[in-house]
Amino acid sequence: MSLETRKTICPLDCPDACGMIATLENGTITKVTGNPDHPITQGFLCHKVQTYHHRVQSPDRILHPQRRIGKKGEGKFEQISWDEAWDILVEQLTDIKQKYGGEALLPYSYAGNMGLINRPAGYPFFHKYGASQLLQTICSAAAKEGWNLHYGARPGSPPEKAADSDLIIAWGISAKVTNIHFMPFVQQAKRRGAKFIVIDPYLNSTAKSADAYYPVTPGGDTALALGMLKYSLEKGLIDQSFIEQYTEGFEELAAYLKAKQLEEFAKISGITVAQIQELATMIGQTEKTFIRIGIGLTRNTQGAMSVRAITCFSAAMGLFNGAEGQGALLMSNSFSGDSGLLSYPSLMTTPTRSVNMVQLGHALTELSPPVKGLFVYSSNPLSVAPDTTRVKAGLEREDLFTVVHEQFLTPTARYADLLLPATTSFENHDLYIGYGHFYMGRVEPVIPAQGEAVSNFDLFQTLAQKMGYSDPPFLQTIEERINNYLTSVQELPEQQKKESLLPGEIVPSRLIDTGGDFSKFEQYRFRFSANSGDPNTPHIPCLLPREEVDDPNLKSRYPFLLITPPMKDMLNSTFGERYQDKAGVLMIHPQDAEAQNIQEGMRVEIFNGRGKNIRTATISENTQPGLLVLEGIYWENEFSQMTSVNELTSQKTTDLGGGGTFHEVRVNIRAV
Ligand SMILES: Nc1nc2c(c(=O)[nH]1)N[C@H]1C(S)=C(S)[C@@H](COP(=O)(O)OP(=O)(O)OC[C@H]3O[C@@H](n4cnc5c(=O)[nH]c(N)nc54)[C@H](O)[C@@H]3O)O[C@H]1N2
Ligand SMILES: Nc1nc2c(c(=O)[nH]1)N[C@H]1C(S)=C(S)[C@@H](COP(=O)(O)OP(=O)(O)OC[C@H]3O[C@@H](n4cnc5c(=O)[nH]c(N)nc54)[C@H](O)[C@@H]3O)O[C@H]1N2
Ligand SMILES: [Mo]
């Protein structure tokens, strides 16, 4: 028997981007474990990825090109050869372009595979073709805009710093679910006596392990951060010398805070005045404070504002001296290679229209001139995009040509006219970085491509050639694209910059040494200048109403607030294939359950004007009265009566960045 191990990296959309070791027995992967040499992975993997090889080698994988033979959505296909698939693609794409123009084709992709090369691999092709451009805003766009407005594009603090902290705050992040490799640093700090605090609308699994938990109202973080800052200002807890030395524009914010009552901030945040005072005092008195900011708190119509308020609060408290145990981490921003060397925007001869991916429902049903071709890869929009009733109405259109490049028969894939087999990351060459840490790694295939599956890179290189495109980017091999890109990555250690990163290697960003020290960057701006952004954006963080939650009409019809955070054993809708016999759980407070006559284990319909989702009730004090929690993006299945969570969410976007508002939803419920 031949036994060998190979190093790879987890491709999933998670801050941790773990180093993995795959064990092969006679060419079959029998085990995957965490790479002990990866400084963040530290030898362990999350529960869902410990069996990642079962997904890679699953008998349910799509391994051959297929053509639809049933009705759209029925999921009936017949196997065809790649030659036939290429013929259909070239014919349809040429026809769409000739009849309606390039913009009638809409590419739709996100982060099924975070590989730096494979993730944007379709871009050169779609630029050359002249397709509509997809604004990839669904996840972190609001977080990024909120951070950059005052900070500039500077990195976050390395997570390792939290190990030396005396106070760690997980703010809008369920680290035990979505960033578990942050937790060992928390545990290390706790062993030294540090306190761990969670700020979240519900008592999630991370909050259960915290020393204190503050149940903020969804979207109430701006009020909480500003309330704390007002109190700190009054009590002299702010860091005056840091403000003078490294920041500008504090006066306007201070004047705004002075003119308001603490009670107003308390009411909007859902946190009592006493708790605001307690939390602000604790932070003010603990020099080594580390704030881990989540993307979760940005998924509402004041989401970027929340990030702005939290970063302004952090800066005023002087959390950025670069001192030991001190800092804030939203996203690491630890490598900044030239993305043009991956996406080649220069191939676009005339600028084409942009479509926000959050508004796919609108794009497929109302956009004019209409979308005639949809090319989906590395995403499952019928599960993950908001307002999926509209998405489905679009996918059902007989005059829409839909291509889906996938590993599994997802709800979206069932609507494909042409279904193409995608490799998994274990079959690819690629580069990975983690958005919650400061390391980059390179991988080569662990196993050969399964069946007739092709990587995103190979799909689009071949398609370009079939379409007769011969520009240099379409002639590159994957190694050439990787090495070419690496030359542009300034943050690589000198040796790798000169000699290129080797497969299996994991290296730190040079930015890790800055450790979140603000003196190394430009001034921090409490007041951003209107010249540098949208004139409607307030210059300082401030209280504004939220579109759906504060709408009086919706309030009377849909009395419950809903948030839709991740489930531990799924990654967005990835692994949905494992849970096709589950509708998922609705978490409801005992008071609400009683008022609505809902008992534990009952089937409940959660509904609003957009759609519905059927789930099983679990009655729990872990949520607040009036707040429902639906964890997990389960695929629509017979147990949920073919409904799914994103029928309930809206196409409204965040205040900045055009992001998704998945945690700002009004609904009602009834037992079914
Ligand atoms: N197991 C698992 N891990 C994942 C994912 C997954 O689906 N499953 N998804 C991955 C992806 S793509 C991403 S972007 C990250 C996201 O990971 P996070 O940054 O953790 O963001 P969310 O998971 O959306 O929400 C985190 C927490 O924010 C809370 N929250 C919601 N609204 C608010 C609010 O207004 N204020 C505050 N303070 N908290 C709020 C939610 O209740 C939840 O507990 O996780 C990644 N990791
Ligand atoms: N209600 C609600 N909705 C949400 C969220 C939420 O918190 N609540 N979170 C949002 C967030 S943060 C995000 S990032 C989005 C995520 O949205 P998506 O990026 O669409 O995420 P996934 O559901 O993981 O779907 C990825 C798909 O890509 C496929 N895939 C994996 N690797 C490859 C590959 O190499 N090539 C190809 N062609 N396919 C591949 C997988 O099989 C999977 O079906 O969802 C958003 N939707
Ligand atoms: Mo995400």
Side-chain angles (χ1 to χ4, degrees), residues 169 204 234:
I169 301 172
N204 57 31
E234 281 167 10

Side-chain angles (χ1 to χ4, degrees), residues 147-152 154 246-250 312 518 522-529 532 539:
W147 176 275
N148 287 0
L149 210 57
H150 300 279
Y151 272 39
R154 72 187 72 192
Y246 298 117
T247 74
E248 58 185 38
F250 188 61
C312 283
F518 268 47
E522 66 189 61
Q523 295 280 90
Y524 181 84
R525 300 177 306 239
F526 284 104
R527 180 191 194 285
F528 103 96
S529 126
S532 57
H539 300 164

Side-chain angles (χ1 to χ4, degrees), residues 51 79 494:
T51 51
Q79 188 176 328
E494 268 317 309

Side-chain angles (χ1 to χ4, degrees), residues 337-534:
D338 178 1
S339 64
L341 296 175
L342 303 174
S343 59
Y344 290 97
S346 52
L347 291 167
M348 182 168 43
T349 44
T350 21
T352 56
R353 69 178 171 187
S354 295
V355 173
N356 186 333
M357 69 185 302
V358 168
Q359 292 164 337
L360 179 66
H362 167 84
L364 293 182
T365 55
E366 286 171 87
L367 198 65
S368 174
V371 173
K372 289 289 190 177
L374 177 70
F375 202 128
V376 180
Y377 63 105
S378 304
S379 186
N380 175 19
L382 187 51
S383 300
V384 304
D387 201 359
T388 44
T389 314
R390 302 309 302 153
V391 176
K392 190 182 273 185
L395 290 174
E396 277 169 352
R397 274 174 44 201
E398 281 304 329
D399 66 330
L400 180 74
F401 172 64
T402 302
V403 186
V404 179
H405 181 229
E406 248 300 351
Q407 299 160 344
F408 285 85
L409 190 61
T410 61
T412 310
R414 299 177 77 88
Y415 283 83
D417 294 297
L418 184 63
L419 183 55
L420 304 172
T423 51
T424 66
S425 64
F426 279 30
E427 295 142 73
N428 296 347
H429 291 268
D430 222 318
L431 297 171
Y432 294 92
I433 56 178
Y435 56 91
H437 63 63
F438 284 65
Y439 296 89
M440 180 188 270
R442 178 173 181 165
V443 303
E444 57 185 359
V446 173
I447 51 170
Q450 304 291 286
E452 294 182 278
V454 300
S455 68
N456 295 359
F457 180 84
D458 288 335
L459 173 72
F460 289 106
Q461 291 302 75
T462 311
L463 180 58
Q465 278 154 36
K466 301 272 179 199
M467 292 288 284
Y469 303 163
S470 55
D471 307 74
F474 298 122
L475 306 175
Q476 282 171 334
T477 63
I478 185 121
E479 284 89 355
E480 283 165 349
R481 188 159 299 172
I482 291 177
N483 291 331
N484 196 28
Y485 175 71
L486 282 172
T487 58
S488 76
V489 184
Q490 296 308 321
E491 298 83 0
L492 280 174
E494 268 317 309
Q495 192 189 347
Q496 275 78 18
K497 244 186 93 55
K498 274 197 240 104
E499 295 167 15
S500 196
L501 197 60
L502 299 174
E505 232 180 338
I506 295 188
V507 294
S509 160
R510 291 205 279 184
L511 290 174
I512 199 165
D513 299 328
T514 63
D517 181 354
F518 268 47
S519 59
K520 294 197 164 65
F521 299 95
E522 66 189 61
Q523 295 280 90
Y524 181 84
R525 300 177 306 239
F526 284 104
R527 180 191 194 285
F528 103 96
S529 126
N531 307 335
S532 57
D534 179 344

